[in-house]
Amino acid sequence: MATIEVDDGTKQTLAFAARMASVTEGEIVRRLIAVGSLGQVQEEPRQEADSAQPIYADYEGHRTRGLYYPPGRVEIIDGPLRGQSFKTPTGAARAVVRHYNPSVNDNRNGWGFWQIDNGGGPRVWLQAIRPKDH
């Protein structure tokens, strides 16, 4: 396995980002490289893709699409936050609010912020499939 050297501050930032996204530090570096190379690096298929539920949120005139992985993880799959992963729907909702409207309080309930992408059917909030223990 190859290694890279980084300063202590960068190491701490990588470790924090990895904890927040529930991924390894190497995955954070890979994602940063992918974003920096304009998406030319293909995503590796996720083992849990079968359990993913497409979701979206409309905020400040912008639609953000994501994937919900039970019991609570949300991965943003398009727009400026593409590739970011959050441990909870609330964390993902707060990131969307901060991005599009940084001057407001980002406190949001993610279960009521995200909607299930059901191909244009009736509106269904993510809360409808929330696990009982979350």
Side-chain angles (χ1 to χ4, degrees):
M1 178 180 292
T3 60
I4 59 172
E5 289 186 37
V6 295
D7 60 71
D8 290 339
T10 301
K11 168 68 171 138
Q12 289 176 343
T13 301
L14 278 172
F16 176 74
R19 280 194 312 276
M20 295 303 294
S22 298
V23 298
T24 66
E25 292 172 22
E27 175 65 10
I28 294 295
V29 171
R30 190 189 70 73
R31 289 178 182 184
L32 288 170
I33 292 168
V35 169
S37 61
L38 301 175
Q40 293 176 358
V41 176
Q42 289 188 327
E43 290 284 324
E44 295 175 15
R46 291 197 174 273
Q47 294 177 342
E48 61 207 5
D50 292 341
S51 66
Q53 171 70 54
I55 59 173
Y56 69 92
D58 292 326
Y59 183 76
E60 292 290 311
H62 301 275
R63 177 161 286 188
T64 302
R65 295 186 188 282
L67 293 172
Y68 165 73
Y69 296 92
R73 190 169 65 80
V74 170
E75 182 176 334
I76 309 294
I77 60 172
D78 73 354
L81 301 174
R82 180 180 181 267
Q84 293 188 34
S85 183
F86 301 87
K87 290 182 179 181
T88 66
T90 296
R94 294 180 72 175
V96 170
V97 171
R98 274 193 308 270
H99 178 78
Y100 288 113
N101 199 351
S103 64
V104 301
N105 183 328
D106 67 357
N107 192 16
R108 298 291 185 278
N109 178 340
W111 298 102
F113 185 84
W114 296 97
Q115 298 178 52
I116 296 172
D117 190 349
N118 57 12
R123 180 178 292 190
V124 179
W125 300 102
L126 188 57
Q127 177 71 33
I129 61 171
R130 182 179 185 174
K132 301 255 187 274
D133 60 346
H134 277 73

